[in-house]
Amino acid sequence: MEYRYAGDANEKLFEAYQSDADPYPTNVSVCFPEREHRRGEIAYLQELFFPTCWNAPELVRDELAILDMLDELGDLFHAGICPYPDVNANEVVTNVLDTLPEIRTLLKRDAEAAYKGDPAAKSYTEIIRSYPGFLAIAMQRVAHILYEEGAVEYARELTEYAKTQTGIDIHPGAEIGEYFFIDHGTGVVIGETVTVGDWVRLYQDVTLGALHFEEQEGTQHALKKGYERHPDIGDHVVIGAGTKVLGSVTVGDHVSIGANSWVTDDIPDHTKVYITNHPTQERKRYDKEKDAKIN
């Protein structure tokens, strides 16, 4: 093992576990069925964030067990970062592990947003263990720190793996606020330069993406990199299923965007956006006798 963690995240996580109370699961004797085919980093992070949901009661009982797991996770991070040049892997890994207690706090708020925002949600445990949107944001919050620390390519590896598990594509560069919830989630795409405020809820097949791309000057067939090309979403925003918010536009606070909307201009605060002219649906009853002969 090449990496040894010397920070204080183990102490903070241990204290956080002890302070947990309902509605978060605290029973260390509960044993859920094991899940296979998980990438190692994902499994460690799930256990460190919510040990009683992922069969890791030893973390709640023993602070040294947390330290051992941080070392193992750090070793995986280190191995994943090292192949990429110009990154101080030791420094990056330590900085990322130091943030895990703060990320855990954010994830508890995300779980709260999911519970309050989904009439079908029965418990926080259900959300933590089974909601694809929760897994996607958990991995993105970690990957975002890696991204900010300069381990951009490795950060992308983690979010791409999360996408294979959830169908949700959140770039590690996106800045996501508190109390974030993606309901259902399949087909959601959030681009690199997106910013999202607090208490934002998205539904399936939403795209927060670019409207068009600028070309790199002096380089044939190459697109420009590193510029703002995605939306900024305010606080207390709901974006309905199938909606596309495209380009460097601003969606204000307390905005509700109905399903299948196409947004390419700024939306001011306290606004509802919805489609008024839906395609006309036609229905025609079939002839049972003719249909029977055909079939």
Side-chain angles (χ1 to χ4, degrees):
M1 185 179 292
E2 297 182 11
Y3 180 81
R4 290 293 184 275
Y5 179 64
D8 63 353
N10 53 304
E11 298 175 8
K12 292 179 179 177
L13 286 169
F14 187 74
E15 292 174 1
Y17 301 153
Q18 310 311 311
S19 65
D20 278 352
D22 187 70
Y24 295 95
T26 58
N27 186 352
V28 297
S29 64
V30 173
C31 184
F32 294 103
E34 291 291 340
R35 290 185 176 180
E36 303 298 334
H37 309 297
R38 290 184 295 172
R39 182 163 176 161
E41 300 96 316
I42 308 301
Y44 281 132
L45 286 167
Q46 287 179 316
E47 291 176 14
L48 284 165
F49 287 142
F50 298 100
T52 54
C53 286
W54 297 105
N55 298 337
E58 67 277 5
L59 301 183
V60 180
R61 299 186 180 116
D62 183 3
E63 184 184 323
L64 292 179
I66 305 173
L67 185 58
D68 288 341
M69 186 169 289
L70 287 171
D71 282 340
E72 293 171 7
L73 175 59
D75 209 38
L76 284 177
F77 280 169
H78 191 276
I81 294 169
C82 277
Y84 295 105
D86 304 322
V87 181
N88 185 332
N90 277 359
E91 181 179 343
V92 170
V93 173
T94 298
N95 291 343
V96 173
L97 295 182
D98 279 343
T99 67
L100 294 187
E102 288 75 21
I103 293 175
R104 183 175 191 263
T105 298
L106 287 175
L107 292 177
K108 292 175 78 172
R109 293 169 184 165
D110 294 331
E112 179 183 344
Y115 185 79
K116 290 181 175 179
D118 183 7
K122 301 300 186 293
S123 69
Y124 281 47
T125 302
E126 176 192 16
I127 292 163
I128 292 165
R129 281 187 57 84
S130 64
Y131 274 40
F134 189 80
L135 174 59
I137 189 58
M139 295 308 105
Q140 196 275 343
R141 291 200 186 281
V142 175
H144 182 67
I145 304 300
L146 285 162
Y147 180 93
E148 290 189 322
E149 291 290 331
V152 175
E153 296 94 337
Y154 178 62
R156 188 65 181 271
E157 286 188 30
L158 293 186
T159 55
E160 286 299 311
Y161 178 79
K163 183 176 74 174
T164 68
Q165 301 298 300
T166 65
I168 298 169
D169 184 354
I170 313 178
H171 195 283
E175 298 181 14
I176 311 293
E178 299 181 356
Y179 300 98
F180 181 67
F181 175 39
I182 301 175
D183 198 356
H184 303 293
T186 303
V188 166
V189 176
I190 300 177
E192 180 183 23
T193 63
V194 168
T195 65
V196 175
D198 300 337
W199 287 104
V200 171
R201 183 166 77 247
L202 310 182
Y203 289 86
Q204 67 273 19
D205 198 32
V206 164
T207 298
L208 306 180
L211 180 60
H212 59 80
F213 298 99
E214 298 180 16
E215 293 188 359
Q216 182 69 41
E217 292 185 9
T219 306
Q220 191 175 18
H221 304 302
L223 296 178
K224 184 178 178 180
K225 301 180 187 296
Y227 68 98
E228 299 294 327
R229 57 196 183 277
H230 298 117
D232 296 319
I233 309 298
D235 299 333
H236 301 279
V237 173
V238 177
I239 303 179
T243 290
K244 314 303 176 188
V245 185
L246 305 177
S248 184
V249 300
T250 298
V251 175
D253 300 337
H254 301 278
V255 168
S256 177
I257 304 177
N260 295 318
S261 297
W262 182 271
V263 178
T264 57
D265 296 301
D266 293 348
I267 300 176
D269 298 348
H270 301 280
T271 302
K272 291 184 178 180
V273 177
Y274 50 92
I275 302 297
T276 56
N277 295 319
H278 287 282
T280 302
Q281 184 186 78
E282 295 185 6
R283 301 186 182 189
K284 183 178 180 181
R285 293 181 64 85
Y286 64 86
D287 188 309
K288 294 182 180 180
E289 292 183 2
K290 288 182 178 180
D291 185 69
K293 292 178 182 179
I294 294 173
N295 294 317

